[in-house]
Amino acid sequence: MKTQVEPLTVDELRVHHSEKASAIRSRLEEFSRIQPSEYFYELIYCLLTPQSSAVNAGKAVHLLREHRFETRDIDPEPYLHRKEFYIRFHKTKASHLVHTKAKYPIIREIIASGRTGPELRTWLIGNVNGLGWKEASHFLRNIGYRDLAILDRHILKNLLRVGIIQRLPATLTPRRYKLLEKKFHTFALRIGIPMDELDLLFWSMETGEILK
């Protein structure tokens, strides 16, 4: 059954983009300047965002950073189970954080190896517990890699609105993810707005903010 959404024309999209282009490009420039010393907590952030709000994930990362989770032998679970910024599936995600922390020296070397964004994404998905296609793309975008689609619910809804897809996918297999990413990229080329800018634009249209 086709999901009903309010259609969005290319002309309307261009108007939205013109209003926010400066702020969007500024945010993308911030991503390109992030230092390798920040990669660990960017990865932690992307492991916490699935099915939790970006704002809450950011608060949890801030607390973990304050308590020096990267260098201290502490259990992250209590920092995720807080009334003021609850992280869903905190037990599972805490386990993922511990695994990632133990493996991070290898992860850091792989990131510095000169691999392309798609190559890094494939490696990360296969080697970091809890990191799927969306999360790996999100992490790489946040450390400066371009042209990797972050196909979350906000993006998919707007791909439906502009007619790139006819229905919201029930699941996103690797094959379907890459197919939708290709369609998104082709659409971006056709209308002359980079896919990374459209990603942040769609997010801001749904949430009112240009978040990382």
PDB file of all heavy atoms in Angstrom, residues 53-77:
ATOM      1  N   SER A  53      16.746   9.997  19.676  1.00  0.00           N
ATOM      2  CA  SER A  53      16.875  11.308  19.053  1.00  0.00           C
ATOM      3  C   SER A  53      18.338  11.726  18.969  1.00  0.00           C
ATOM      4  O   SER A  53      19.162  11.354  19.816  1.00  0.00           O
ATOM      5  CB  SER A  53      16.086  12.361  19.837  1.00  0.00           C
ATOM      6  OG  SER A  53      16.796  12.781  20.979  1.00  0.00           O
ATOM      7  N   ALA A  54      18.650  12.512  17.935  1.00  0.00           N
ATOM      8  CA  ALA A  54      20.005  13.018  17.756  1.00  0.00           C
ATOM      9  C   ALA A  54      20.408  13.883  18.946  1.00  0.00           C
ATOM     10  O   ALA A  54      21.569  13.863  19.380  1.00  0.00           O
ATOM     11  CB  ALA A  54      20.093  13.812  16.458  1.00  0.00           C
ATOM     12  N   VAL A  55      19.459  14.641  19.471  1.00  0.00           N
ATOM     13  CA  VAL A  55      19.750  15.515  20.614  1.00  0.00           C
ATOM     14  C   VAL A  55      20.134  14.687  21.835  1.00  0.00           C
ATOM     15  O   VAL A  55      21.116  14.973  22.525  1.00  0.00           O
ATOM     16  CB  VAL A  55      18.534  16.412  20.931  1.00  0.00           C
ATOM     17  CG1 VAL A  55      18.753  17.169  22.240  1.00  0.00           C
ATOM     18  CG2 VAL A  55      18.294  17.399  19.786  1.00  0.00           C
ATOM     19  N   ASN A  56      19.373  13.627  22.124  1.00  0.00           N
ATOM     20  CA  ASN A  56      19.693  12.773  23.266  1.00  0.00           C
ATOM     21  C   ASN A  56      21.021  12.065  23.083  1.00  0.00           C
ATOM     22  O   ASN A  56      21.795  11.914  24.037  1.00  0.00           O
ATOM     23  CB  ASN A  56      18.578  11.740  23.481  1.00  0.00           C
ATOM     24  CG  ASN A  56      17.355  12.344  24.141  1.00  0.00           C
ATOM     25  OD1 ASN A  56      17.360  13.500  24.543  1.00  0.00           O
ATOM     26  ND2 ASN A  56      16.296  11.565  24.243  1.00  0.00           N
ATOM     27  N   ALA A  57      21.293  11.610  21.871  1.00  0.00           N
ATOM     28  CA  ALA A  57      22.581  10.964  21.599  1.00  0.00           C
ATOM     29  C   ALA A  57      23.721  11.943  21.851  1.00  0.00           C
ATOM     30  O   ALA A  57      24.755  11.577  22.427  1.00  0.00           O
ATOM     31  CB  ALA A  57      22.620  10.449  20.167  1.00  0.00           C
ATOM     32  N   GLY A  58      23.529  13.187  21.440  1.00  0.00           N
ATOM     33  CA  GLY A  58      24.549  14.198  21.668  1.00  0.00           C
ATOM     34  C   GLY A  58      24.796  14.445  23.147  1.00  0.00           C
ATOM     35  O   GLY A  58      25.938  14.609  23.585  1.00  0.00           O
ATOM     36  N   LYS A  59      23.723  14.453  23.943  1.00  0.00           N
ATOM     37  CA  LYS A  59      23.863  14.647  25.389  1.00  0.00           C
ATOM     38  C   LYS A  59      24.600  13.473  26.032  1.00  0.00           C
ATOM     39  O   LYS A  59      25.433  13.662  26.929  1.00  0.00           O
ATOM     40  CB  LYS A  59      22.484  14.817  26.023  1.00  0.00           C
ATOM     41  CG  LYS A  59      21.807  16.137  25.679  1.00  0.00           C
ATOM     42  CD  LYS A  59      20.426  16.222  26.310  1.00  0.00           C
ATOM     43  CE  LYS A  59      19.747  17.556  25.980  1.00  0.00           C
ATOM     44  NZ  LYS A  59      18.381  17.628  26.562  1.00  0.00           N
ATOM     45  N   ALA A  60      24.285  12.262  25.586  1.00  0.00           N
ATOM     46  CA  ALA A  60      24.961  11.085  26.128  1.00  0.00           C
ATOM     47  C   ALA A  60      26.448  11.107  25.780  1.00  0.00           C
ATOM     48  O   ALA A  60      27.300  10.794  26.632  1.00  0.00           O
ATOM     49  CB  ALA A  60      24.310   9.814  25.581  1.00  0.00           C
ATOM     50  N   VAL A  61      26.778  11.496  24.565  1.00  0.00           N
ATOM     51  CA  VAL A  61      28.179  11.581  24.164  1.00  0.00           C
ATOM     52  C   VAL A  61      28.906  12.642  24.989  1.00  0.00           C
ATOM     53  O   VAL A  61      30.053  12.436  25.417  1.00  0.00           O
ATOM     54  CB  VAL A  61      28.302  11.889  22.656  1.00  0.00           C
ATOM     55  CG1 VAL A  61      29.736  12.257  22.280  1.00  0.00           C
ATOM     56  CG2 VAL A  61      27.845  10.687  21.835  1.00  0.00           C
ATOM     57  N   HIS A  62      28.245  13.756  25.241  1.00  0.00           N
ATOM     58  CA  HIS A  62      28.854  14.813  26.052  1.00  0.00           C
ATOM     59  C   HIS A  62      29.210  14.281  27.439  1.00  0.00           C
ATOM     60  O   HIS A  62      30.311  14.547  27.963  1.00  0.00           O
ATOM     61  CB  HIS A  62      27.889  15.993  26.170  1.00  0.00           C
ATOM     62  CG  HIS A  62      28.419  17.119  27.010  1.00  0.00           C
ATOM     63  ND1 HIS A  62      29.396  17.978  26.563  1.00  0.00           N
ATOM     64  CD2 HIS A  62      28.098  17.507  28.272  1.00  0.00           C
ATOM     65  CE1 HIS A  62      29.670  18.863  27.515  1.00  0.00           C
ATOM     66  NE2 HIS A  62      28.897  18.596  28.557  1.00  0.00           N
ATOM     67  N   LEU A  63      28.308  13.487  28.025  1.00  0.00           N
ATOM     68  CA  LEU A  63      28.557  12.927  29.348  1.00  0.00           C
ATOM     69  C   LEU A  63      29.694  11.903  29.301  1.00  0.00           C
ATOM     70  O   LEU A  63      30.572  11.890  30.183  1.00  0.00           O
ATOM     71  CB  LEU A  63      27.278  12.274  29.875  1.00  0.00           C
ATOM     72  CG  LEU A  63      27.274  11.876  31.353  1.00  0.00           C
ATOM     73  CD1 LEU A  63      27.466  13.096  32.250  1.00  0.00           C
ATOM     74  CD2 LEU A  63      25.965  11.172  31.698  1.00  0.00           C
ATOM     75  N   LEU A  64      29.697  11.060  28.287  1.00  0.00           N
ATOM     76  CA  LEU A  64      30.776  10.073  28.138  1.00  0.00           C
ATOM     77  C   LEU A  64      32.122  10.768  27.939  1.00  0.00           C
ATOM     78  O   LEU A  64      33.149  10.324  28.462  1.00  0.00           O
ATOM     79  CB  LEU A  64      30.473   9.147  26.962  1.00  0.00           C
ATOM     80  CG  LEU A  64      29.340   8.142  27.171  1.00  0.00           C
ATOM     81  CD1 LEU A  64      28.915   7.530  25.840  1.00  0.00           C
ATOM     82  CD2 LEU A  64      29.775   7.043  28.147  1.00  0.00           C
ATOM     83  N   ARG A  65      32.113  11.849  27.194  1.00  0.00           N
ATOM     84  CA  ARG A  65      33.350  12.601  26.979  1.00  0.00           C
ATOM     85  C   ARG A  65      33.830  13.222  28.304  1.00  0.00           C
ATOM     86  O   ARG A  65      35.024  13.196  28.618  1.00  0.00           O
ATOM     87  CB  ARG A  65      33.109  13.694  25.940  1.00  0.00           C
ATOM     88  CG  ARG A  65      34.373  14.424  25.513  1.00  0.00           C
ATOM     89  CD  ARG A  65      34.010  15.663  24.720  1.00  0.00           C
ATOM     90  NE  ARG A  65      33.428  15.325  23.427  1.00  0.00           N
ATOM     91  CZ  ARG A  65      34.128  15.166  22.313  1.00  0.00           C
ATOM     92  NH1 ARG A  65      35.451  15.300  22.333  1.00  0.00           N
ATOM     93  NH2 ARG A  65      33.520  14.884  21.176  1.00  0.00           N
ATOM     94  N   GLU A  66      32.902  13.793  29.072  1.00  0.00           N
ATOM     95  CA  GLU A  66      33.260  14.383  30.363  1.00  0.00           C
ATOM     96  C   GLU A  66      33.928  13.369  31.296  1.00  0.00           C
ATOM     97  O   GLU A  66      34.834  13.712  32.056  1.00  0.00           O
ATOM     98  CB  GLU A  66      32.015  14.939  31.056  1.00  0.00           C
ATOM     99  CG  GLU A  66      31.564  16.300  30.574  1.00  0.00           C
ATOM    100  CD  GLU A  66      30.474  16.871  31.464  1.00  0.00           C
ATOM    101  OE1 GLU A  66      29.765  16.075  32.125  1.00  0.00           O
ATOM    102  OE2 GLU A  66      30.346  18.110  31.504  1.00  0.00           O
ATOM    103  N   HIS A  67      33.461  12.131  31.211  1.00  0.00           N
ATOM    104  CA  HIS A  67      34.011  11.081  32.077  1.00  0.00           C
ATOM    105  C   HIS A  67      35.131  10.290  31.386  1.00  0.00           C
ATOM    106  O   HIS A  67      35.548   9.254  31.884  1.00  0.00           O
ATOM    107  CB  HIS A  67      32.885  10.152  32.551  1.00  0.00           C
ATOM    108  CG  HIS A  67      31.977  10.781  33.554  1.00  0.00           C
ATOM    109  ND1 HIS A  67      30.948  11.636  33.189  1.00  0.00           N
ATOM    110  CD2 HIS A  67      31.962  10.739  34.913  1.00  0.00           C
ATOM    111  CE1 HIS A  67      30.314  12.048  34.276  1.00  0.00           C
ATOM    112  NE2 HIS A  67      30.911  11.532  35.332  1.00  0.00           N
ATOM    113  N   ARG A  68      35.590  10.785  30.270  1.00  0.00           N
ATOM    114  CA  ARG A  68      36.752  10.251  29.534  1.00  0.00           C
ATOM    115  C   ARG A  68      36.593   8.753  29.225  1.00  0.00           C
ATOM    116  O   ARG A  68      37.481   7.942  29.505  1.00  0.00           O
ATOM    117  CB  ARG A  68      38.042  10.528  30.311  1.00  0.00           C
ATOM    118  CG  ARG A  68      38.246  12.001  30.631  1.00  0.00           C
ATOM    119  CD  ARG A  68      39.664  12.313  31.048  1.00  0.00           C
ATOM    120  NE  ARG A  68      40.144  11.508  32.146  1.00  0.00           N
ATOM    121  CZ  ARG A  68      39.906  11.743  33.435  1.00  0.00           C
ATOM    122  NH1 ARG A  68      39.140  12.782  33.782  1.00  0.00           N
ATOM    123  NH2 ARG A  68      40.403  10.963  34.365  1.00  0.00           N
ATOM    124  N   PHE A  69      35.453   8.422  28.646  1.00  0.00           N
ATOM    125  CA  PHE A  69      35.182   7.028  28.310  1.00  0.00           C
ATOM    126  C   PHE A  69      36.256   6.436  27.390  1.00  0.00           C
ATOM    127  O   PHE A  69      36.612   5.264  27.520  1.00  0.00           O
ATOM    128  CB  PHE A  69      33.805   6.924  27.628  1.00  0.00           C
ATOM    129  CG  PHE A  69      33.507   5.574  27.044  1.00  0.00           C
ATOM    130  CD1 PHE A  69      33.421   4.452  27.853  1.00  0.00           C
ATOM    131  CD2 PHE A  69      33.317   5.419  25.671  1.00  0.00           C
ATOM    132  CE1 PHE A  69      33.149   3.190  27.317  1.00  0.00           C
ATOM    133  CE2 PHE A  69      33.054   4.175  25.130  1.00  0.00           C
ATOM    134  CZ  PHE A  69      32.965   3.055  25.950  1.00  0.00           C
ATOM    135  N   GLU A  70      36.803   7.239  26.501  1.00  0.00           N
ATOM    136  CA  GLU A  70      37.791   6.724  25.552  1.00  0.00           C
ATOM    137  C   GLU A  70      39.036   6.182  26.250  1.00  0.00           C
ATOM    138  O   GLU A  70      39.635   5.202  25.789  1.00  0.00           O
ATOM    139  CB  GLU A  70      38.192   7.816  24.567  1.00  0.00           C
ATOM    140  CG  GLU A  70      39.146   7.333  23.481  1.00  0.00           C
ATOM    141  CD  GLU A  70      39.504   8.404  22.481  1.00  0.00           C
ATOM    142  OE1 GLU A  70      39.115   9.578  22.681  1.00  0.00           O
ATOM    143  OE2 GLU A  70      40.179   8.084  21.491  1.00  0.00           O
ATOM    144  N   THR A  71      39.421   6.768  27.365  1.00  0.00           N
ATOM    145  CA  THR A  71      40.687   6.393  28.005  1.00  0.00           C
ATOM    146  C   THR A  71      40.517   5.713  29.363  1.00  0.00           C
ATOM    147  O   THR A  71      41.484   5.165  29.893  1.00  0.00           O
ATOM    148  CB  THR A  71      41.571   7.638  28.202  1.00  0.00           C
ATOM    149  OG1 THR A  71      40.853   8.625  28.963  1.00  0.00           O
ATOM    150  CG2 THR A  71      41.958   8.225  26.844  1.00  0.00           C
ATOM    151  N   ARG A  72      39.312   5.739  29.928  1.00  0.00           N
ATOM    152  CA  ARG A  72      39.107   5.144  31.249  1.00  0.00           C
ATOM    153  C   ARG A  72      38.324   3.843  31.142  1.00  0.00           C
ATOM    154  O   ARG A  72      37.493   3.665  30.257  1.00  0.00           O
ATOM    155  CB  ARG A  72      38.360   6.114  32.168  1.00  0.00           C
ATOM    156  CG  ARG A  72      39.154   7.352  32.547  1.00  0.00           C
ATOM    157  CD  ARG A  72      38.322   8.279  33.413  1.00  0.00           C
ATOM    158  NE  ARG A  72      37.935   7.635  34.671  1.00  0.00           N
ATOM    159  CZ  ARG A  72      36.848   7.951  35.363  1.00  0.00           C
ATOM    160  NH1 ARG A  72      36.006   8.878  34.901  1.00  0.00           N
ATOM    161  NH2 ARG A  72      36.569   7.322  36.490  1.00  0.00           N
ATOM    162  N   ASP A  73      38.574   2.943  32.085  1.00  0.00           N
ATOM    163  CA  ASP A  73      37.887   1.648  32.119  1.00  0.00           C
ATOM    164  C   ASP A  73      36.583   1.810  32.886  1.00  0.00           C
ATOM    165  O   ASP A  73      36.487   1.504  34.077  1.00  0.00           O
ATOM    166  CB  ASP A  73      38.783   0.607  32.788  1.00  0.00           C
ATOM    167  CG  ASP A  73      38.158  -0.786  32.759  1.00  0.00           C
ATOM    168  OD1 ASP A  73      37.252  -1.006  31.924  1.00  0.00           O
ATOM    169  OD2 ASP A  73      38.568  -1.643  33.569  1.00  0.00           O
ATOM    170  N   ILE A  74      35.557   2.303  32.169  1.00  0.00           N
ATOM    171  CA  ILE A  74      34.253   2.520  32.811  1.00  0.00           C
ATOM    172  C   ILE A  74      33.161   1.842  31.987  1.00  0.00           C
ATOM    173  O   ILE A  74      33.297   1.656  30.776  1.00  0.00           O
ATOM    174  CB  ILE A  74      33.925   4.018  32.975  1.00  0.00           C
ATOM    175  CG1 ILE A  74      33.916   4.725  31.611  1.00  0.00           C
ATOM    176  CG2 ILE A  74      34.913   4.684  33.919  1.00  0.00           C
ATOM    177  CD1 ILE A  74      33.494   6.182  31.682  1.00  0.00           C
ATOM    178  N   ASP A  75      32.088   1.485  32.671  1.00  0.00           N
ATOM    179  CA  ASP A  75      30.918   0.893  32.021  1.00  0.00           C
ATOM    180  C   ASP A  75      30.050   2.023  31.466  1.00  0.00           C
ATOM    181  O   ASP A  75      29.576   2.866  32.233  1.00  0.00           O
ATOM    182  CB  ASP A  75      30.137   0.069  33.039  1.00  0.00           C
ATOM    183  CG  ASP A  75      28.879  -0.571  32.463  1.00  0.00           C
ATOM    184  OD1 ASP A  75      28.664  -0.466  31.233  1.00  0.00           O
ATOM    185  OD2 ASP A  75      28.115  -1.153  33.255  1.00  0.00           O
ATOM    186  N   PRO A  76      29.801   2.047  30.160  1.00  0.00           N
ATOM    187  CA  PRO A  76      29.023   3.152  29.600  1.00  0.00           C
ATOM    188  C   PRO A  76      27.519   3.052  29.852  1.00  0.00           C
ATOM    189  O   PRO A  76      26.801   4.044  29.683  1.00  0.00           O
ATOM    190  CB  PRO A  76      29.311   3.067  28.102  1.00  0.00           C
ATOM    191  CG  PRO A  76      29.581   1.610  27.865  1.00  0.00           C
ATOM    192  CD  PRO A  76      30.290   1.141  29.116  1.00  0.00           C
ATOM    193  N   GLU A  77      27.027   1.873  30.262  1.00  0.00           N
ATOM    194  CA  GLU A  77      25.577   1.697  30.349  1.00  0.00           C
ATOM    195  C   GLU A  77      24.889   2.718  31.248  1.00  0.00           C
ATOM    196  O   GLU A  77      23.859   3.285  30.857  1.00  0.00           O
ATOM    197  CB  GLU A  77      25.233   0.281  30.811  1.00  0.00           C
ATOM    198  CG  GLU A  77      23.733   0.023  30.800  1.00  0.00           C
ATOM    199  CD  GLU A  77      23.374  -1.380  31.266  1.00  0.00           C
ATOM    200  OE1 GLU A  77      24.191  -2.305  31.083  1.00  0.00           O
ATOM    201  OE2 GLU A  77      22.269  -1.535  31.812  1.00  0.00           O
TER     202      GLU A  77
END
